[in-house]
Amino acid sequence: DVQSVLGTGDVPGALETCFDISARSWKAGAGSDLGGRPAYRAFYRALAEDEVLRRRLYIWILAVDDQPIAFNMADRLARVGA
C-alpha cells in the first residue's frame, strides 16, 4: 500500500513516519538518516510547518502489512539540472 501526502495533507505526521523509517535503515548506521541530527529534524519540521513551503513537499510512504518500510520525498518545484 502506498500513502501519498501531497503538500496539503498531514505533512508533519508523514514526516515523523519518514524519520522512523530512516532511523531503521542502513543510513542510521552511516550517521546520515533523515532525522538523525537535531538540525536535520529542525529543517524538515520547519518545511512542514511553513504554509507556503509545505505545499511544495510531496511524500510517498510504502507500507507492507500496515508497516511503513520505505518513503520518497520530493520538492515538486525543484528543477532538474538546476
Side-chain angles (χ1 to χ4, degrees):
D1 189 33
V2 176
Q3 171 195 4
S4 60
V5 178
L6 308 177
T8 58
D10 182 15
V11 175
L15 187 58
E16 292 302 320
T17 300
C18 294
F19 289 153
D20 292 342
I21 294 168
S22 190
R24 295 189 312 263
S25 76
W26 63 268
K27 290 183 175 187
S32 62
D33 61 299
L34 189 68
R37 296 184 179 164
Y40 294 171
R41 284 183 180 262
F43 172 79
Y44 286 106
R45 284 180 175 145
L47 286 179
E49 292 171 5
D50 184 276
E51 292 276 339
V52 174
L53 296 177
R54 176 177 53 219
R55 295 180 191 280
R56 294 178 55 164
L57 195 58
Y58 282 12
I59 300 171
W60 295 269
I61 298 171
L62 175 65
V64 175
D65 296 327
D66 294 321
Q67 176 67 30
I69 62 166
F71 71 91
N72 185 36
M73 189 181 321
D75 178 343
R76 74 178 185 102
L77 297 179
R79 290 182 272 159
V80 175

